[in-house]
Each structure stands twice: as structure tokens, then as C-alpha cells.
Amino acid sequence: MIDRILSNEEIIQLKNYLERYNNIVLTCHLSPDGDAVGSTLGMKHLLETMGKTVHIIAPDMVPRSLLFLPGAKDIIAYSKYAELGNRLIGNSQLIICLDFNTPKRLDNLAPAITESKAKKILIDHHIGAEQFCDLSISYDKMSSTCELVFRAILGMNMYQQVNRKCAECLYAGMMTDTGNFTYNSNDPDIYNIIAMLMKKGINKDRIYSLAINTSSADRLRLIGYSLDSKMEVFEDCGAALIILTKEELARYNYKKGDTESLVNMPLQIPEVYWSVFMREDDEYVKISIRSQGDFAVNTICEKHFNGGGHKNAAGGEFYSTVDEARAEFYKIMEEMKPTDGEENDNK
Ligand code: 5GP
Ligand code: MN
């Protein structure tokens, strides 16, 4: 038995919306990850078994590593096809927002979604969802939005309608948001859910191999260079920092997704409990932070890097140079230093 998390009221309202409307748009956050792509696609496959017309519009492109998921190639990138996106949003009766908690995460797609007259539903697992939808299903204890979608499906008594394609996509999101079930994954229900998804005929080893364990030679060399020549460890503060400039990225023919999971690697060092990765981009420095234990990095990203996220995995954008971003990192370490008489109990 899997615990009931969603309230009866939420289940009834969700089911009513899904049954009532036929033209549905699904959307997710900028730089969609496995959970964003998996939850929108999983929902799409479910809705299609109900005979609905469904389009997924993402703010930008789906990374190459996720294109193997059934239906991923049909996801419309608003950054490239804004006119088509606007038309589909204009025709939609219902919009489901998955895996983000604020319209800001939609980037240039935000106005089209927030100004649309369609009914809106949010399904998400980030802390502190903003109220911009008619129905908000937000549970920050969930490992992933995909897990929450699956629980919603169970709540609506729709497990029978889950086909292999739907199960594959939901599994992919649960797997990627927990680092293949190595963090944020101690709820026993997760494994009951996996068993139920596997009964739909998915090959979880293949999904792992394609979504996580596939690299180009350039990417492996970039990771090697980053760890060898760029990683700095600040033992006093339990921190690690890796900064990559545009010039360095170009040297290794950087493609989107090539630095995925690099930020996690310094956490393998026992003394390091928070790890920062900064990647120079055209207009800003992209920040990723990961931590272990009670040290919250979403608040750091909110305060210093125009971002947010989860307690142990967060990110943001810093609108200045890499040198200034480094200076900001030093500022954070300075703030962490215990004042006289105070114990530093972060670890
Ligand atoms: P990543 O480091 O993989 O880009 O992001 C990790 C998590 O941090 C994401 O799942 C998301 O919750 C959050 N995050 C990343 N970038 C941003 C950002 O620019 N703004 C906000 N609000 N959250 C972000
Ligand atoms: Mn997620």
C-alpha cells in the first residue's frame, strides 16, 4: 500500500479538470531536467489515453540526453517557436505547470502562460509555491514531481491507464531527481512506486544508461580538466568551488548538459558538505550549488544569486562577471564564520 499524500479535495478537483477539458498544454521550467521532461511527458501519455489533445511547451530545448524518452522530440521549445507556442496556448482550455513553483522559472514563456485565460493547475515539489494557478498541488517532501504525478494517478484510480511510455517517463524523473536513488530517496513508498512502474514493462537499466550514464569524449575530458585544474577546496568552510569560463568551455566543445552532475562530485570529499559550480554564460554566470545534510543552499541562492531550489540542490543566475561571482562566494563563506562565542554546527 502506498500512503495517500494528496487530499481528497485535490484529487477530485484534478480529476474534474482533466475530464472537463480537451485541449491541454503542459509546461515546465527553463533548462528542463529529467523531472521536468519526465513529468510533462508522463502526464501527456496519461492524458492521451483519455483522448485529450496535448502539447508540451517548454521555455527552451530539451537536453540531448533526454531525447530518447517517448514523445520528447515533440516538445516545443518556446525560445525557438514562440509563435506556435502562443497559438497553442491561445487554443488551450487547461494548462498544467509541472516541476516549478514560480512563473519566473518560465523565462520568456511566463507572460503567455500567466496571461492565458485557460484554467491552470500546478503540480510541483519545490518549497514555497507561488499562487498563480486555479489548483495548486505542491508537496515539497516528494522526491520528484514525477513521484507526485504518480501519486495523483493512483489517487484518481487511473493506474490501469498508465502505459509503458508513461511509466518510462515518470521513472526517468524519479531517477534523475534522486541521482539514481542516492539522495532524497529514503521514503519506502518510492520503491513500491518503482515496482508498480516496472510492472508496466519498463527497462530501468536502459533508462539509467541513456539518461545518466552516457557521455561524449569531450564531456569526459571537460570533467577531468575541471576536477584536476579548477576544483578548489576550502576545508575550513566545508566548501568546494569550480568555475569554468566561456573560453575553457569552448576549448572542450561544450554543449548544453556537458557539465551536468559535475557540481555533485566534490561532495565525495568527506570534508566538503557544500559544493558550488559557476559556469560563465553570455549574459550571466549560471550557479549550481549542492549540499549534504542540514546545510540549506536554496536560501543562499535566493539571497546571493537570484535563484532558489531545494535545500540540498539549488541554483541561480548571477548578472556580472565570474570574478564578481567568486567574490560573492567569498562573501558567503565570510557570513558562515561563527561570530565570537558561537559554535559552527553546520556539519
Ligand atoms: P541545477 O543546479 O541542476 O541547475 O538546479 C538545481 C535545482 O535548483 C533545480 O531543480 C531548481 O529547483 C533550482 N534552480 C536552478 N537554477 C535556478 C534558478 O535560476 N532559479 C531558481 N529559482 N531555481 C533554480
Ligand atoms: Mn524536480
Side-chain angles (χ1 to χ4, degrees):
M1 245 327 249
I2 289 164
D3 287 345
R4 262 188 104 93
I5 299 288
L6 285 85
S7 71
N8 285 342
E9 187 58 30
E10 285 171 331
I11 295 287
I12 291 165
Q13 282 195 42
L14 178 64
K15 195 154 192 192
N16 279 344
Y17 277 123
L18 300 189
E19 281 173 352
R20 191 173 328 147
Y21 297 115
N22 288 317
N23 263 321
I24 303 176
V25 160
L26 308 179
T27 189
C28 61
H29 60 76
L30 185 72
S31 297
D33 58 7
D35 194 29
V37 176
S39 58
T40 48
L41 282 172
M43 189 55 101
K44 180 178 199 260
H45 294 304
L46 179 84
L47 292 169
E48 284 178 346
T49 69
M50 299 169 76
K52 309 291 176 178
T53 303
V54 186
H55 295 280
I56 301 178
I57 305 171
D60 58 349
M61 303 272 279
V62 171
R64 257 179 320 160
S65 62
L66 297 170
L67 286 178
F68 75 94
L69 287 171
K73 293 196 177 100
D74 299 327
I75 294 178
I76 297 156
Y78 193 77
S79 54
K80 234 176 143 184
Y81 303 103
E83 216 173 292
L84 173 64
N86 289 335
R87 186 149 31 92
L88 294 170
I89 292 166
N91 289 338
S92 69
Q93 302 160 301
L94 178 66
I95 297 174
I96 310 181
C97 300
L98 292 133
D99 200 36
F100 64 97
N101 57 356
T102 159
K104 273 186 241 141
R105 298 282 285 141
L106 289 168
D107 201 43
N108 293 336
L109 174 57
I113 297 290
T114 51
E115 288 160 24
S116 158
K117 297 273 178 295
K119 291 284 175 198
K120 284 168 217 135
I121 300 175
L122 175 80
I123 305 180
D124 179 50
H125 72 133
H126 293 88
I127 300 167
E130 283 178 20
Q131 289 303 319
F132 63 101
C133 290
D134 300 281
L135 171 63
S136 242
I137 300 178
S138 161
Y139 287 90
D140 58 38
K141 295 284 181 301
M142 293 291 105
S143 70
S144 54
T145 299
C146 282
E147 180 189 339
L148 189 52
V149 168
F150 187 79
R151 288 179 187 267
I153 292 172
L154 285 187
M156 294 187 290
N157 286 321
M158 291 179 74
Y159 176 64
Q160 267 211 313
Q161 279 98 309
V162 174
N163 56 22
R164 188 178 52 77
K165 289 193 273 186
C166 174
E168 253 177 24
C169 297
L170 294 182
Y171 180 81
M174 290 176 63
M175 180 194 75
T176 49
D177 253 25
T178 57
N180 201 30
F181 308 101
T182 57
Y183 48 79
N184 211 6
S185 52
N186 280 327
D187 177 355
D189 272 356
I190 290 175
Y191 303 92
N192 291 324
I193 293 173
I194 294 173
M196 293 183 81
L197 292 172
M198 291 197 67
K199 286 192 179 133
K200 299 290 179 176
I202 68 172
N203 180 342
K204 74 171 197 48
D205 302 344
R206 173 178 168 272
I207 298 171
Y208 170 77
S209 168
L210 292 172
I212 294 185
N213 212 21
T214 298
S215 278
S216 65
D218 279 335
R219 172 184 137 87
L220 287 183
R221 293 201 170 91
L222 175 62
I223 299 287
Y225 166 72
S226 305
L227 295 175
D228 178 48
S229 305
K230 301 303 307 273
M231 181 177 71
E232 299 165 70
V233 176
F234 302 84
E235 273 195 31
D236 287 354
C237 288
L241 174 66
I242 297 174
I243 301 179
L244 291 176
T245 64
K246 275 207 275 192
E247 185 277 315
E248 288 166 321
L249 294 163
R251 216 188 298 157
Y252 289 90
N253 299 314
Y254 170 81
K255 296 199 184 50
K256 209 169 173 197
D258 278 358
T259 50
E260 194 66 46
S261 82
L262 172 62
V263 64
N264 290 305
M265 293 177 182
L267 292 177
Q268 293 175 34
I269 305 165
E271 291 74 25
V272 171
Y273 59 90
W274 62 296
S275 165
V276 181
F277 171 54
M278 300 180 171
R279 176 174 55 77
E280 188 181 17
D281 212 321
D282 287 336
E283 282 154 31
Y284 52 78
V285 181
K286 177 71 199 156
I287 312 289
S288 284
I289 313 188
R290 299 290 184 272
S291 69
Q292 262 160 1
D294 283 337
F295 188 69
V297 290
N298 50 344
T299 44
I300 291 180
C301 285
E302 279 162 25
K303 182 167 171 203
H304 293 269
F305 299 118
N306 301 300
H310 309 278
K311 186 174 84 177
N312 297 128
E317 288 157 3
F318 188 73
Y319 288 84
S320 186
T321 62
V322 279
D323 290 338
E324 289 291 326
R326 171 187 286 281
E328 200 66 26
F329 169 79
Y330 288 134
K331 224 191 268 177
I332 299 164
M333 287 205 295
E334 205 51 46
E335 283 171 11
M336 284 172 64
K337 295 227 166 91
T339 43
D340 279 348
E342 197 181 86
E343 285 276 304
N344 186 346
D345 59 358
N346 280 324
K347 190 101 205 236

